[in-house]
Amino acid sequence: KPLTAARAATHNPPNAMASRGSSSGSWVAMCILGACILLPYNALLTAQPYFEDHAFKGMGFPFTSMLIYSGFLSTSQVLLTFGGEALMLRTRMKAAFASALLVCLLLVLWAVLTRQTAHSSALYGLTLATLAVLALSNSLMQTAVLGVAGAIGPEMSAAVMVGLGFCGLVILGTSLLVQATESALGVDEANGDAGLMVAVVLFVECLVCTIASIWVYFVYLQRRNAQASAVIASLEAQRKGRHQGENARGFNMEHVLEAGTLSANGSEVSESTWRRGAVVLREIAPQAVNVFSVFLVTMSVFPGVVLSWQPGSGSAFLTKVLLFRTLLLGAFQLFDVIGRSAAQGCSRCIAPQRIWVIVLLRFALVPLFMLGQRKPELSVLCGSDVGRLLLVAALAFTNGLAASLSMMAGPLLCPDARREVAGMAMSCVMVTGIFAGSLLALLTQLGVHAS
């Protein structure tokens, strides 16, 4: 088949040095695209102390924003997993980048306006609506990028996962740099000016990085990298073949739901898109359950519960709440990247059949995080600065490690011809776990205000 032929051509080139260069270039490019996917949301996550304490104080922004984002993200990814092959990759990526640029501009605008009209229900609604658009944009880009990565090989899936985590470090570094500058200039943190400046700078940074990522995908991967361009061209050819086959038979809903789809040369009938998606889900089920559970646990306590932690009476951050929360978010992002980066090496000693052990142990972290919010004085681990940082580090490292191991192993459970769909399906299950975790996060708040 064309994809197999493309992979054979890129895996067995006449020039081994060129092959290694192409592969390493693909890895870096996939890492950059992975970072681009989550950069705007990580910027919003880092800026949440401003929105929670000033712009939308008392309106539950950390929980409602995550719920809106993850809800639209999971719904759209389900649709793209089962019907996304109808969209050409080029069309999908164009729509994803255009909407990402729009979201970055709108987030800058809403942040500035909230400083003028704090606690505005209209701006609150507009911000949540912008997050819904961001979720759709991320769905388009994430399913496309992970689909291509799954078609190339597990090392590219690992690269995307590293990028998804690395963007948090980029945002953290920028945030700390801005806060250091603000401190030197004497910008007031109490009135929200410091938080606003952080938010605006981060959203502008996302705009610049998105523009750079457009070049990475459309110029470097599609035109200059032999390995990636061959696979992308093959996937696009398969889509064209299916479209031509549907046009030749006459398009109707019965063909979409029941008829087979054609391969790239239009002569070979295979499963329908929906049937193929169901087959892939059965094949990847063990790793799909793992990645779902990983994010179910993570999102049930992060960021909502973590951002609700207040510095204790003996804390070094008693008068620096913004810095305290930034460091907690930064600790998560740092150790998440470390976990993701360690996944390739750990895959040699952690068999795919044993990943569930790490996944299961993580459930014990949920009550500890809740204790840090409700009764921090009962435990040094849950109430001290060092203890809380250790908890966040453990949550983040195991999140990055277990999620990356599962995302690498999932597509390998399928034949080559279905690995693109497998990559998309794993992405879908991952964000469904994020949504489920966001719902569970609401339950962790029952009785908090009453107590």
Side-chain angles (χ1 to χ4, degrees), residues 350-432:
I350 301 176
Q353 301 88 337
R354 296 291 180 265
I355 299 174
W356 67 269
V357 177
I358 304 174
V359 174
L360 186 62
L361 290 174
R362 297 183 80 247
F363 280 89
L365 292 171
V366 176
L368 293 175
F369 276 77
M370 293 175 64
L371 191 63
Q373 179 185 12
R374 296 168 184 256
K375 299 289 183 180
E377 68 277 3
L378 294 182
S379 169
V380 174
L381 182 63
C382 302
S384 68
D385 295 340
V386 174
R388 286 171 163 178
L389 287 170
L390 288 175
L391 279 177
V392 171
L395 179 76
F397 179 80
T398 54
N399 179 83
L401 178 63
S404 296
L405 288 173
S406 300
M407 293 295 289
M408 292 166 61
L412 294 180
L413 297 173
C414 301
D416 281 2
R418 289 199 286 268
R419 285 188 179 175
E420 184 202 6
V421 180
M424 295 166 61
M426 289 294 292
S427 173
C428 174
V429 174
M430 178 175 67
V431 299
T432 304

Side-chain angles (χ1 to χ4, degrees), residues 12 44 63-64 81 84 96 109 141 148 174 231 235 243 252 269 312 323-324 335 374 396 448:
N12 299 282
L44 183 70
F63 293 97
T64 53
T81 297
L109 177 62
M141 193 180 302
V148 173
T174 303
V231 173
L235 295 174
H243 294 168
N252 57 47
V269 179
L323 179 59
F324 175 66
F335 284 93
R374 296 168 184 256
V448 170

Side-chain angles (χ1 to χ4, degrees), residues 269-283:
V269 179
S270 61
E271 316 102 301
S272 72
T273 299
W274 290 90
R275 188 178 299 124
R276 182 167 53 254
V279 170
V280 167
L281 282 176
R282 286 196 297 270
E283 290 173 336

